[in-house]
């Protein structure tokens, strides 16, 4: 990797062998959990689970993040590149439909080295908050089969308040265009499992339905028709989120307003039941599989 880290849009330019930047991570991958995960979209988790590796550190600071212990606090264990390759093999042998790399941006060089040691014969998924540099994503071309980004906000004010990134939309929109360029049209196997493509997630926040509709409109206007979109109603208030208005779940009326716009735009993909708004779906970051 470069001596001065510029992997993410923060462009900290620190030597991570000496100190840490915005993500708080050194060079060695730090992992909090590596296990089969059954709560992704059906074309990712399927019946056997997605082989999910939760990396610590994050390029965003989402105030409502469900993965707060690893994204904000950096909980996890440092592993070597050969150990990371062993984890990929372990998950494949457990029957995973794919290898799902969650918030791996600070560790791209190490991940690529691990895949060079062992690349399982199943799709590799890049699961991120969408706040990625397009030029960094080019390093992943050919290594990643499926991109699974969030597309969170359009409003700079909302992005700054909620994620600590006022430039989120400008960065994420270009990143998602690059993801779609790399993967092309979605491809599925006979079981309906995604083998290649980009699947975009959008989490509806309470009081923010207008911004949600703007996100969906941008997708409809700028991405190839048929790009799947997962419209998520699972927002649950977390005790560490102190932003006024984000201390409640979304209402049925809010969800219906965004869902109606989703349908009017003729988007396809996945929607969620009301029961999805449950913190029980957040896995324990207890070093399982690490």
């Amino acid at each position: 990797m470069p001596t001065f880290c510029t992997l993410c849009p923060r462009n900290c330019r620190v030597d991570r062998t000496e100190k840490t930047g915005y993500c708080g991570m050194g060079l060695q991958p730090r992992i909090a959990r590596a296990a089969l995960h059954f709560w992704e979209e059906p074309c990712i988790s399927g019946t056997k689970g997605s082989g999910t590796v939760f990396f610590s550190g994050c390029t965003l600071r989402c105030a409502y993040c469900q993965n707060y212990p690893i994204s904000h606090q950096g909980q996890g264990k440092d592993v070597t590149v050969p150990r990371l390759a062993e984890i990929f093999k372990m998950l494949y042998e457990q029957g995973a439909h794919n290898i799902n790399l969650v918030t791996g941006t600070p560790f791209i060089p190490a991940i690529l080295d691990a895949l060079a040691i062992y690349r399982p014969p199943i799709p590799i998924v890049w699961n991120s908050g969408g706040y990625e540099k397009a030029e960094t994503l080019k390093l992943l071309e050919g290594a990643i089969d499926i991109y699974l980004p969030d597309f969170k906000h359009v409003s700079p004010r909302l992005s700054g308040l909620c994620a600590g990134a006022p430039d989120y939309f400008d960065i994420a929109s270009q990143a998602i265009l690059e993801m779609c360029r790399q993967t092309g049209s979605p491809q599925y196997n006979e079981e309906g499992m995604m083998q290649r493509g980009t699947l975009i997630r959008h989490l509806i926040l309470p009081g923010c339905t207008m911004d949600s509709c703007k996100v969906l409109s941008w997708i409809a206007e700028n991405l190839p028709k048929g790009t799947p979109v997962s419209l998520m109603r699972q927002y649950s208030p977390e005790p560490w989120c102190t932003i006024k208005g984000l201390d409640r779940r979304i209402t049925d009326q809010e969800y219906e307003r965004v869902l109606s716009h989703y349908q009017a735009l003729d988007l396809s993909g996945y929607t969620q039941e009301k029961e999805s708004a449950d913190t029980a779906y957040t896995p324990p970051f207890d070093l399982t599989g690490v």
Side-chain angles (χ1 to χ4, degrees):
M1 65 172 292
T3 302
F4 301 103
C5 186
T6 58
L7 286 170
C8 89
R10 302 293 178 179
N11 287 318
C12 296
R13 299 184 181 276
V14 300
D15 182 348
R16 285 168 54 204
T17 63
E18 300 287 339
K19 62 179 182 178
T20 62
Y22 190 89
C23 67
M25 296 291 112
L27 292 182
Q28 272 196 313
R30 183 173 297 176
I31 298 172
R33 182 180 178 85
L36 297 178
H37 190 55
F38 294 89
W39 302 319
E40 307 285 30
E41 285 73 11
C43 68
I44 302 295
S45 283
T47 57
K48 297 183 290 186
S50 177
T52 307
V53 182
F54 288 92
F55 292 92
S56 304
C58 187
T59 63
L60 291 171
R61 287 292 181 272
C62 296
Y64 49 81
C65 182
Q66 290 181 315
N67 296 352
Y68 189 91
I70 61 173
S71 62
H72 287 58
Q73 297 176 328
Q75 294 180 17
K77 177 182 176 182
D78 291 353
V79 300
T80 64
V81 167
R83 175 56 186 157
L84 183 57
E86 289 174 359
I87 289 171
F88 295 161
K89 188 170 189 284
M90 172 195 74
L91 293 170
Y92 169 65
E93 291 174 346
Q94 289 177 5
H97 288 291
N98 45 62
I99 301 298
N100 187 348
L101 308 173
V102 181
T103 59
T105 303
F107 310 114
I108 285 175
I111 289 169
L112 292 175
D113 288 346
L115 288 171
I117 294 172
Y118 177 75
R119 183 186 177 94
I122 50 178
I124 308 297
V125 180
W126 191 257
N127 186 334
S128 80
Y131 194 59
E132 309 269 13
K133 291 171 67 173
E135 63 192 84
T136 298
L137 291 172
K138 288 180 169 65
L139 299 175
L140 297 173
E141 188 164 8
I144 300 302
D145 302 293
I146 299 169
Y147 283 103
L148 190 59
D150 292 334
F151 199 0
K152 297 176 181 292
H153 313 292
V154 170
S155 163
R157 180 179 176 277
L158 189 61
S159 299
L161 179 67
C162 292
D167 61 349
Y168 178 86
F169 173 73
D170 291 339
I171 298 292
S173 58
Q174 293 306 305
I176 289 171
L177 287 171
E178 172 61 19
M179 293 173 186
C180 290
R181 182 196 69 78
Q182 287 186 23
T183 61
S185 299
Q187 299 175 23
Y188 303 87
N189 66 12
E190 61 280 359
E191 298 174 337
M193 301 301 300
M194 183 175 273
Q195 302 298 291
R196 189 169 179 81
T198 298
L199 193 165
I200 300 169
R201 291 169 160 171
H202 176 69
L203 176 66
I204 306 168
L205 298 178
C208 300
T209 58
M210 183 179 295
D211 200 70
S212 287
C213 289
K214 289 179 179 179
V215 168
L216 297 178
S217 292
W218 186 92
I219 292 171
E221 292 166 6
N222 293 275
L223 299 185
K225 188 171 178 59
T227 300
V229 179
S230 181
L231 188 62
M232 304 165 74
R233 67 181 299 173
Q234 69 188 49
Y235 179 81
S236 295
E238 299 287 358
W240 45 77
C241 182
T242 59
I243 297 175
K244 185 178 180 180
L246 295 185
D247 54 354
R248 63 173 177 86
R249 293 187 168 95
I250 66 170
T251 65
D252 290 342
Q253 290 79 10
E254 287 174 321
Y255 179 68
E256 290 300 327
R257 188 177 305 140
V258 180
L259 178 63
S260 294
H261 191 63
Y262 176 97
Q263 293 169 336
L265 293 170
D266 198 26
L267 294 173
S268 60
Y270 302 95
T271 56
Q272 288 185 329
E273 299 299 323
K274 188 174 184 178
E275 293 73 21
S276 64
D278 192 330
T279 55
Y281 293 108
T282 303
F285 303 117
D286 54 5
L287 302 183
T288 293
V290 179

